Amino acid sequence: RVDGPTPVSVLHEYPNNTRIEMAMSTLKVGFIGSGMMAEALAGGFDAAGVAAFSHMSCIDHNQSRLDLFASWGVHPCKDNVELATRSNVIFIAVKPYAVAKVLSEMRAAGALSKDTLVISIAAGVTLHTLEEAAGPGIPMMRVMPNTPCLVGCVAAAMVPGTSCDETHSATTSKLFNAVGKIHQVQEKHMDAVTGVSGSGPAYVFLMIEAMADGGVLAGLPRKIAQDLAAQTVMGAAKMVLETGKHPGQLKDAVTSPAGTTIAGVAALERNGVRTAFISAVKAAADRATELSKE
């Protein structure tokens, strides 16, 4: 469980001045699939006060996962129907190939209703697939999280389904803002989201590893080099997010004429680092498009 603040409620304001306040006591969250991502979400929700463990339910084929969730006070369910009756928000956290089957089975059993928000966090599963499996009138939300959710720092995007309203968007925002940050996008942009934030942690891990290798080459012990590299990436990211300044402006502020930093930046540019990152994002986005058609 991750420690964190406990807000009583979250207030959302939309461009049309509709204000939606939702008390945390109303959220009853169910997880179909209780893997690492569900674990991170559940812990984050409880720590932030948006949904308590005692108001959560879960189901999974792995008994050890159910036992872990139960140890926190989450109710393990015997089947998806029971979970649905105990939840007003259901997370579909199974492998992508199983999502449609799970939703179809729940639809056949009458376990889905217009009063329950269903949030899929399965990569590459489109809203069309989700809504076709769940049936008409079911509020479906497609969300693309990323692995830093495991440390309460998710970068996510959401796409509301045709039966979602502002309340459903507010609920999803409330939940994911408890474990990081979420943006609402059009579904046509979800593959780009995959390229930037979905796959992005791997690019940053590679960058940290490379910076640490450089530190070792320059004489630093490995542990110190890695810690300095990781802390530097985290600090630089916080500066971008908290100052609102363009990354180029922040870069210019630390590149003195004829100094060490501009020498390092010039070396990166000579080796095509900017083009490499742009190409990586585009390649991952293109692959996401390909996978969604398979």
Side-chain angles (χ1 to χ4, degrees):
R1 173 174 171 175
V2 182
D3 290 331
T6 308
V8 173
S9 64
V10 174
L11 190 65
H12 299 269
E13 186 164 355
Y14 290 86
N16 64 2
N17 294 321
T18 299
R19 291 162 68 85
I20 299 171
E21 187 170 7
M22 300 159 55
M24 72 173 184
S25 61
T26 65
L27 289 182
K28 298 179 180 179
V29 179
F31 294 95
I32 297 179
S34 305
M36 294 300 294
M37 193 67 76
E39 177 182 339
L41 291 171
F45 298 162
D46 180 81
V50 296
F53 282 140
S54 59
H55 290 170
M56 298 183 200
S57 304
C58 67
I59 192 166
D60 198 275
H61 293 305
N62 188 329
Q63 185 61 45
S64 65
R65 299 301 300 174
L66 294 178
D67 292 343
L68 175 65
F69 276 65
S71 71
W72 305 328
V74 178
H75 179 79
C77 296
K78 65 180 184 297
D79 54 40
N80 293 340
V81 175
E82 181 192 359
L83 182 138
T85 62
R86 298 178 59 90
S87 310
N88 51 28
V89 179
I90 298 174
F91 279 85
I92 307 298
V94 297
K95 296 295 184 183
Y97 69 83
V99 171
K101 182 174 184 289
V102 166
L103 289 172
S104 296
E105 290 175 349
M106 293 181 73
R107 176 185 182 181
L112 299 175
S113 80
K114 61 181 179 59
D115 298 320
T116 302
L117 171 62
V118 182
I119 302 175
S120 169
I121 60 172
V125 183
T126 65
L127 273 176
H128 174 75
T129 298
L130 296 171
E131 293 183 331
E132 189 173 55
I138 306 301
M140 295 292 312
M141 187 76 67
R142 178 184 174 188
V143 173
M144 179 66 194
N146 64 1
T147 54
C149 179
L150 300 176
V151 291
C153 200
V154 74
M158 65 179 182
V159 183
T162 56
S163 296
C164 285
D165 57 25
E166 290 179 344
T167 303
H168 299 121
S169 294
T171 299
T172 306
S173 294
K174 173 184 178 181
L175 289 166
F176 278 91
N177 285 333
V179 289
K181 194 170 187 177
I182 191 166
H183 293 273
Q184 184 168 320
V185 301
Q186 297 178 50
E187 188 165 33
K188 67 181 182 180
H189 293 144
M190 282 299 265
D191 291 339
V193 169
T194 299
V196 176
S197 57
S199 301
Y203 318 152
V204 179
F205 296 148
L206 187 63
M207 180 173 66
I208 291 171
E209 182 184 28
M211 288 175 66
D213 285 346
V216 172
L217 180 63
L220 283 173
R222 167 68 63 182
K223 189 176 186 308
I224 292 175
Q226 182 170 304
D227 186 68
L228 288 173
Q231 185 72 16
T232 297
V233 168
M234 182 172 69
K238 288 190 71 173
M239 288 182 70
V240 172
L241 293 171
E242 293 179 9
T243 67
K245 293 181 178 179
H246 189 281
Q249 185 180 356
L250 294 170
K251 177 208 69 177
D252 289 349
V254 294
T255 49
S256 305
T260 59
T261 304
I262 193 62
V265 169
L268 289 172
E269 295 288 10
R270 283 195 301 273
N271 286 279
V273 68
R274 190 185 301 267
T275 300
F277 276 111
I278 292 171
S279 298
V281 171
K282 187 59 166 62
D286 289 347
R287 182 57 180 149
T289 302
E290 292 171 1
L291 290 173
S292 68
K293 296 176 180 177
E294 291 181 0

